[in-house]
Amino acid sequence: MDEAYVEQVLRLVERIPAGRVLPYGRVAEVVAGGYGPRYVGRIMSLYGHAVCWWRVPRADGTLPAPLMMEAQQRWAQEGTPVRNGRVHVAEALWGEAGVS
């Protein structure tokens, strides 16, 4: 695993504000290391427990099934826009400068 890329991904995830999300594919685009969403998903599964993993959903606003219950609780606490049990990505997308 590319350790420098892992660190970049985790640093970016730590910057996502409460109530906002950045899907795996957008994380891959922003970090721009030649890796795609699946690699970001792998990083999150191995190292994401140390950061706000619930702010990095799939493009459809879900997370893996074992994480959904806790993620939904965290989204509710943070005021993340949710529709039908999943993040409303279009509304919750983090769009800070350089991350649009």
Side-chain angles (χ1 to χ4, degrees):
M1 184 145 296
D2 182 338
E3 290 181 32
Y5 190 80
V6 169
E7 286 300 317
Q8 289 178 316
V9 166
L10 296 177
R11 274 192 305 248
L12 176 60
V13 171
E14 288 176 335
R15 293 179 42 219
I16 302 169
R20 297 287 174 212
V21 298
L22 201 60
Y24 298 130
R26 292 292 294 131
V27 170
E29 289 173 14
V30 172
V31 175
Y35 299 103
R38 288 180 188 253
Y39 195 71
V40 170
R42 181 76 175 142
I43 290 168
M44 293 304 296
S45 81
L46 293 173
Y47 307 104
H49 63 280
V51 296
C52 49
W53 53 267
W54 59 94
R55 297 180 189 158
V56 186
R58 296 174 178 141
D60 69 358
T62 65
L63 285 165
L67 302 176
M68 280 298 287
M69 185 173 288
E70 183 178 350
Q72 289 170 340
Q73 292 170 348
R74 290 181 183 263
W75 295 332
Q77 291 170 347
E78 295 185 353
T80 307
V82 174
R83 305 283 185 279
N84 299 318
R86 59 180 63 189
V87 171
H88 189 265
V89 175
E91 191 176 332
L93 188 64
W94 180 42
E96 182 180 287
V99 185
S100 55

